[in-house]
Each structure stands twice: as C-alpha cells, then as structure tokens.
Amino acid sequence: MSLEHGERPIEEGVRTDLREALDYGTYLDLDRLLSAQHPVSRPEHPDELLFIVQHQTTELWFKLVLHELRGVRAHLDADDVARARKSLARVKHIFRTLTEQWSVLATLTPSEYVEFRDFLGPSSGFQSHQYRAVEFVLGNKNAGMLQVFDGHPEARAVLQELLESPTVYDALLAFLARHGHDVPAEVLDRDVRRAWVERPELVPVLATLYEDTATHWEGYAICEDLVDLEDAFQFWRFRHLRTVQRTIGFKTGTGGSSGVGFLQRALELTFFPELYAVRTGIRAPDQSHHRAPHRPDDTPRYHP
C-alpha cells in the first residue's frame, strides 16, 4: 500500500475501539499522573515544570527501589540468592538512571531557579519519606527523622515499620550465619532500630568468603552486589551535590539545611563498611585451591 500525503496507515489488526476495554491511559492512570504537576510560582515560571517533573520522577523510582529492596530482604530470608541478586541488579540500574537524570535538572541555570525558588517555601527533598525509607532499609536509621513526618501519618508509619525491621545487611548476615559462617551472635542479635556502625569482628568472617570464592561463591557474589549498590548510591549522591552546587552555590537549603555542606557530609556515610574494610587484608589464595571461575554474566556490576 502506497503512502499518500505522508500518512502511515494503521496496521490491520490494531484495535482502535477501546471504549469498553482497558486502555493504556487507564491502566497507567495517566489522567491523574499528568495532572499532578501544580506550579506555585506567580506568574508561573516556565522552568518550574522541569523542577516538579524531575522530583516526581525520582519519587516514582524510589517507590520501585524500596519495593525491590524489601524483596531482597525477603529473598535472603528464604535463602533464594538468585532472586535477591536479580532485585539488587535492578536497583543498581535504577540508581544509574537517577544519576543520569541530574543532567536534565542541571540545565536549570542559577538565574532561572532563583526566579521561582522563594515560592517553594520550606519544602525540600530533605522531607522525602521514600528517600528516608531507602536509607532505613539499607541501615542508615535515625529515629529522630520520624518527627519530620508527624503531619503525614502514613509516611511516618512506613518509616516506623522500617525502623523496627532488619535491614538488607542484617538479612545477608543472617543468611551467612545459616550457611555455616561464624557471624558473631551479638551482631545477629543487635538492636535493629539503631543505625549500623562498623563491626570489626565481622571482617574476618567476610575474609573467608573473599579468600576462597570458589567455595563461598554465593555469599561472595552477593557481597559484591551490595558494594556495587553502595557505589551506585554514592554516585547518585555526588551528582546531587554537584547539581545543587552549580545551581544555588552555597546557599542554605529551602528546608533549612546547610545545602551543599549537608550533602557533602552525606557522602561520608557508608551502608556496608565491613565490605570495604575487608579489602585491605585480603590475602592471595592458596595456589593448591581451585579458584573461582571468571563469571562476568553471574555478577552484574555497576559501571558509571
């Protein structure tokens, strides 16, 4: 069939009458999603829509990250390492996408942002309960943060539940203990409401995995997945810092934080400190041992 006037005919078989069927827009609730952007600047600044969409998109990705990390925890509890690693691989790719996304917001120049920034009032990314939830499930817990959400009971309840629940790292250590590794009892029985702090007594336990990967491949591989995840998270934090610095310099954040200084200190936080500490003392393997094969397809790695 030839094209007339540049029009491309609809293929035969494509369904066009969707009045009584589930269509794309209804399935994705696009009417509500696409009407959820409400600029507050007056007169409305043309770049405020970019600012809103950037942050709403981030929150959607955080929703999926939290879903996947809860899944990682459950899969480890069920000794299903393959599914746990699949979810971790997905989370790493999400953070790669989120990191690249900062380049879009970076097109907002300082002179453009300052024209509508004051209209934002005290609203700030500091108040993202989903970001806090992701940090909680990874181990950076802070009960004091709950008061920020006293006016949002549902958000506060999510954080309360995660505050009182084991982290992904707790689930990994319990998995290792069930599979014969000498994880100290005081680590397994720790108060999960507290932020994770480095436990030097864990380093020798992890060293057994890293020095004999052939015997302990599953445990070793998922430890490396967590390192990849932390790297991905830190790259995202760093791009956040640089984007804020190029847009507002060293101004105080809208929510009252020190802005760039606050974000700089966040880069010093680590979720899995022992997984970095173990690298310092790793010894060369006994050459009589069978070494683990190179399995690039089995250990998805994050590459910025």
Side-chain angles (χ1 to χ4, degrees):
M1 181 181 296
S2 62
L3 299 182
E4 297 182 6
H5 310 298
E7 293 181 356
R8 180 183 177 184
I10 298 175
E11 292 181 356
E12 292 185 14
V14 172
R15 185 169 176 178
T16 58
D17 184 359
L18 297 164
R19 286 171 292 185
E20 297 182 3
L22 178 65
D23 65 5
Y24 179 81
T26 302
Y27 173 66
L28 295 179
D29 202 2
L30 290 182
D31 287 344
R32 182 164 54 167
L33 183 65
L34 297 179
S35 61
Q37 296 74 44
H38 306 290
V40 297
S41 55
R42 295 294 180 269
E44 183 178 320
H45 194 282
D47 293 314
E48 191 180 353
L49 182 61
L50 161 64
F51 192 79
I52 293 171
V53 168
Q54 169 90 19
H55 289 83
Q56 287 183 338
T57 305
T58 297
E59 290 295 331
L60 286 172
W61 282 122
F62 279 161
K63 181 174 183 177
L64 183 55
V65 166
L66 186 57
H67 170 76
E68 295 294 341
L69 290 177
R70 286 180 183 273
V72 171
R73 195 174 57 181
H75 297 324
L76 285 172
D77 289 345
D79 291 343
D80 191 343
V81 173
R83 292 190 64 185
R85 297 192 65 205
K86 171 68 175 182
S87 289
L88 283 171
R90 182 170 293 164
V91 171
K92 288 183 286 184
H93 283 292
I94 292 170
F95 272 104
R96 184 173 186 173
T97 296
L98 285 169
T99 299
E100 290 299 320
Q101 188 172 293
W102 286 119
S103 64
V104 182
L105 190 61
T107 65
L108 180 68
T109 67
S111 56
E112 292 166 342
Y113 182 42
V114 75
E115 292 177 3
F116 67 86
R117 185 174 188 253
D118 286 346
F119 288 96
L120 305 180
S123 65
S124 165
F126 181 86
Q127 300 146 14
S128 167
H129 87 276
Q130 291 197 122
Y131 171 75
R132 296 298 163 194
V134 170
E135 285 214 319
F136 277 23
V137 80
L138 289 177
N140 185 23
K141 298 187 179 185
N142 184 346
M145 283 301 306
L146 269 64
Q147 63 185 321
V148 176
F149 305 98
D150 285 345
H152 300 276
E154 291 184 3
R156 195 184 194 285
V158 170
L159 292 176
Q160 185 74 50
E161 183 266 326
L162 290 172
L163 179 72
E164 298 173 359
S165 302
T167 68
V168 166
Y169 201 27
D170 289 318
L172 171 62
L173 296 175
F175 166 82
L176 293 177
R178 289 194 303 274
H179 289 265
H181 296 278
D182 295 325
V183 180
E186 58 270 24
V187 173
L188 297 173
D189 298 333
R190 79 180 190 92
D191 183 353
V192 298
R193 297 170 297 179
R194 309 289 295 181
W196 182 269
V197 294
E198 186 170 356
R199 308 294 293 258
E201 64 269 33
L202 265 181
V203 175
V205 178
L206 297 172
T208 63
L209 277 68
Y210 278 80
E211 292 175 357
D212 187 359
T213 57
T215 303
H216 308 296
W217 178 259
E218 279 192 334
Y220 161 75
I222 199 162
C223 283
E224 285 295 277
D225 289 335
L226 290 185
V227 172
D228 289 346
L229 171 57
E230 174 141 343
D231 281 353
F233 198 104
Q234 291 286 43
F235 281 124
W236 175 80
R237 277 176 168 161
F238 180 75
R239 284 299 301 272
H240 184 190
L241 164 68
R242 298 298 296 181
T243 302
V244 170
Q245 187 172 354
R246 71 176 286 163
T247 306
I248 68 169
F250 294 91
K251 292 178 182 176
T252 300
T254 52
S257 75
S258 57
V260 167
F262 177 82
L263 297 174
Q264 183 71 53
R265 288 190 295 276
L267 287 172
E268 299 171 2
L269 299 173
T270 179
F271 297 118
F272 320 117
E274 299 81 8
L275 293 180
Y276 290 87
V278 72
R279 285 158 161 71
T280 303
I282 292 176
R283 298 171 297 178
D286 183 342
Q287 295 304 310
S288 64
H289 251 147
H290 170 66
R291 299 185 65 181
H294 179 56
R295 301 195 225 181
D297 295 333
D298 193 35
T299 308
R301 305 303 303 274
Y302 174 79
H303 298 287

